[in-house]
Amino acid sequence: MQVPATPIVRDIVLVGGGHSHVVVLRYFAMHPLPGVRITLICTDAHTPYSGMLPGYVAGHYSYDDVHIDLCRLCAATGARFIQAEVIGLDHDNRTVQLRGRPDINYDVVSINTGSTPQMRAQGAAEQAVPVKPITGFNQRWLQLLDKVAQATRPLSIAIVGGGAGGVELCLAMQHRLRVETQAAGRAAIAPQFSLFTSGGLLPTHNPGVQARFTKVLAERGVQVHLQTPVAEVQAGRLCSAQGEWFGADEVLWVTQAGGGAWLQSTGLALTDNRCIRLHDTLQSITDPRVFAAGDVAAMENFSLEKAGVFAVRMGMPLAINLQRAVQGLPLQPYRPQRHWLALISTGDKFAVASRGALGFAGTWVWRWKDWIDRRFMQRFSVQGVDGLAGMTSTATSANTSIQLNPDEAQQAQAAVAMRCGGCGAKVGASVLSRALQNLWVLPNPDVLLGLDSPDDAAVVRVPPGKALVHSVDFFRAFIDDPYVFGRIAANHALGDLFAMGAQPHTATAIATLPPGVDRQVEATLRQMMQGATEVLNAAGCTLIGGHSGEGSELALGFAVNGLVSLDSNGRMTGVLRKGGMQPGDVLVLTKPLGTGALFAAHGRAAARGRWIQAALHSMQHSNQAAAQVLQQFGATACTDLTGFGVIGHTVEMARPSGVQVVLKMDALPLLDGAQACVEQGLLSSLHSANARQQQVVHNAEQAMAHPLWPLLVDPQTAGGLLASVPAPQAHACLAALHAKGYSAACAIGEVRSSPAGAAPVHIQTQ
């Protein structure tokens, strides 16, 4: 979680993780502007570098070689990363609209989302595979590799688009699939390729380059259909505008691309193919607060080819103008180059260089291209020679470079002044009211006075025949997305109720927010509480009140109440407790381990973005359904796995039960990347305290020598449920958990009678 040294007074939001925006992130890391927060919103945690994509398809690069890790890049550069789908802009309220979650405020917004092929042929949208966005294409490409490996006849693959992108992709795929089939001894079933273009081949390049690729395609056996626009695509075939049908098991679309469909509703001036029309300053001609770059940009005074070189070159002037825009300074025009160097590979580590009337080729050109591409990627690698390690700087002085109105200036001055304690540290009433005014909480007839009442406390009725289960949890933020943090904080707090077999009933919140300008504080609180109330509502838990205050870091917690049933004698029924394990029980864990290590690594920009996103997904997965399954199959004891790790919480269950638990090291379910993090010594700050539990482990010396020992003592946030289940029910219980979506649920140990004086835990290391 990034903690700003100066109050946030302006928000720059970057929509999309394209080439221009990664350059912007690097620029802001090197030239931070105090008081300005950068937020990157993207649907994926990794963004591909287009220059290396054909090499990836051809098999020369790995997935990580050709993708920039946006989550990690943001962690290294001090920007917020929000993984979400953008669906619109609200110009009046200056917000970016997201699917399924609250809007994000901006003062200036930039759009660099890449482009999507315009698939206007009948049936193309349903039957063909667009190369962009790359994420969708990559999934289909991997499926195609499997399909070819299992084919009993040569498949027919059609590429629609005769520009550099289509030709390069065709040759890369042809090379890779030829190599794959030959290596498998099945050269006879190598796919047959066809390339369709509505005009000529490589129309923006010189005749010499066109002739060279015409020859290469012919030598590779690719059937090239010039002046053959595709009019219709059906399953297994396509039809030209001339009415001729061609067989095609797979159709890939690499034609002229345009902006995403969501741009049509933004009110921005667009071209016919949905690109944003821009002034020379890269500002929208419609709204000066909106900037754009890359394939989605259409400059009014320059006609630019959809080429990665322009997206990269736009990055620096875009970054400078974004900074100048929030400073109220005149913007600088961007003048694109008239000629550029294109290095087009042929799939087999051979490349052709094209610049204006010039053209040359060779294996040395591919090596040159490879060197250029790898050097570019190094600039966005945390460990690279030219990378980001140690690049960020922290501004400590009061911000004087941002133009503020009198009210904002007063708020900013107050935010850096000596802050009051006590009730003087509460969040302002107007900020609180605006942040919560549209918050919907679950109605509950037992709430007599709640959030909708101005009274000093809530009044809640306990239904007849019920007892109240009460718990509290609170922690500081470990990610920069307040909405996701709110969801995890609520989920974590509810875990205690689920572990007890209680039905959530009501909750009060306590939130700490860093001081700042009202608009930013309000937006953060709204995002965080929206995420939290969604989780509470889904669990049947009504938010009835809370308290907010100022602090150095964002934090959130809840006091939660649940209900359990009482019998006619006033005794609890259906309650799960930590004590109750029986010899012979199977120990079940419902979620994978590793959040402590992963977020320790994330704080050092050392964890891959896909690891962090997978961990966040797991942490937002409620334990409610898992608790119901465990009860259904007769769980004898249960707890939720949190800060004390597997060892600590197992001991809490074993001791009151008077048993010994055997944990099987090789059965532990792990989050992706967790083992890699602990192997690098990236451990939670609570790890050392948890690790000082050797006395509770029967074979501590042997256990601690195992490489997975750190994950047994790794503190978990919003972890799974740890429960003992009678052995005859264990298999069916796990099957039911899997059916409910807990795919990692597994048996990690067994319960046995405890020898006199024995330690409560034994680790089975083999």
Side-chain angles (χ1 to χ4, degrees), residues 424-501:
K426 294 179 70 171
V427 172
S430 60
V431 171
L432 192 61
S433 175
R434 289 193 301 269
L436 303 180
Q437 64 183 354
N438 293 321
L439 206 62
W440 184 83
V441 298
L442 185 73
N444 188 329
D446 295 326
V447 177
L448 306 180
L449 294 175
L451 262 187
D452 58 349
S453 169
D455 290 279
D456 292 328
V459 179
V460 179
R461 173 177 52 212
V462 178
K466 300 290 184 180
L468 196 67
V469 180
H470 185 78
S471 183
V472 64
D473 234 308
F474 179 86
F475 49 68
R476 66 185 183 89
F478 51 91
I479 53 171
D480 289 308
D481 185 338
Y483 171 78
V484 172
F485 171 60
R487 290 180 58 86
I488 292 172
N491 206 26
H492 184 87
L494 290 170
D496 287 338
L497 301 185
F498 298 140
M500 295 284 290

Side-chain angles (χ1 to χ4, degrees), residues 339-502:
H339 300 289
W340 66 96
L341 177 67
L343 300 175
I344 310 169
S345 62
T346 59
D348 53 353
K349 294 191 176 183
F350 187 96
V352 178
S354 173
R355 188 178 191 276
L358 298 177
F360 43 92
T363 55
W364 70 271
V365 178
W366 191 90
R367 291 194 298 272
W368 182 31
K369 171 179 166 55
D370 177 63
W371 177 80
I372 292 172
D373 290 340
R374 289 184 183 276
R375 188 179 179 200
F376 175 82
M377 293 295 285
Q378 272 190 334
R379 297 172 61 198
F380 306 100
S381 165
V382 177
Q383 295 92 358
V385 175
D386 301 318
L388 300 160
M391 184 173 294
T392 56
S393 62
T394 302
T396 56
S397 60
N399 171 48
T400 58
S401 61
I402 308 298
Q403 286 192 350
L404 306 176
N405 62 43
D407 189 36
E408 289 176 325
Q410 184 178 17
Q411 294 171 26
Q413 185 63 37
V416 297
M418 180 69 71
R419 307 303 295 174
C420 294
C423 284
K426 294 179 70 171
V427 172
S430 60
V431 171
L432 192 61
S433 175
R434 289 193 301 269
L436 303 180
Q437 64 183 354
N438 293 321
L439 206 62
W440 184 83
V441 298
L442 185 73
N444 188 329
D446 295 326
V447 177
L448 306 180
L449 294 175
L451 262 187
D452 58 349
S453 169
D455 290 279
D456 292 328
V459 179
V460 179
R461 173 177 52 212
V462 178
K466 300 290 184 180
L468 196 67
V469 180
H470 185 78
S471 183
V472 64
D473 234 308
F474 179 86
F475 49 68
R476 66 185 183 89
F478 51 91
I479 53 171
D480 289 308
D481 185 338
Y483 171 78
V484 172
F485 171 60
R487 290 180 58 86
I488 292 172
N491 206 26
H492 184 87
L494 290 170
D496 287 338
L497 301 185
F498 298 140
M500 295 284 290

Side-chain angles (χ1 to χ4, degrees), residues 293-311:
D295 284 358
V296 78
M299 299 185 69
E300 293 285 272
N301 297 321
F302 300 92
S303 178
L304 303 182
E305 186 175 344
K306 303 301 182 187
V309 63
F310 289 113

Side-chain angles (χ1 to χ4, degrees), residues 156 158 194 196 225 228-230 232 234 236-249 251:
S156 175
S194 300
F196 295 82
H225 302 275
T228 310
V230 174
E232 183 177 355
Q234 295 181 359
R237 62 179 190 165
L238 57 80
C239 183
S240 71
Q242 293 88 347
E244 186 177 0
W245 287 94
F246 300 87
D249 295 297
V251 179

Side-chain angles (χ1 to χ4, degrees), residues 582-633:
Q582 300 295 317
D585 285 351
V586 173
L587 190 64
V588 170
L589 178 60
T590 63
K591 287 188 188 181
L593 303 169
T595 61
L598 283 165
F599 284 93
H602 180 59
R604 299 171 175 83
R608 296 192 186 280
R610 59 178 175 271
W611 299 346
I612 296 302
Q613 296 307 314
L616 292 174
H617 178 76
S618 176
M619 295 158 82
Q620 293 176 75
H621 191 182
S622 171
N623 282 322
Q624 190 166 26
Q628 294 166 352
V629 170
L630 292 169
Q631 284 188 308
Q632 177 187 349
F633 288 92

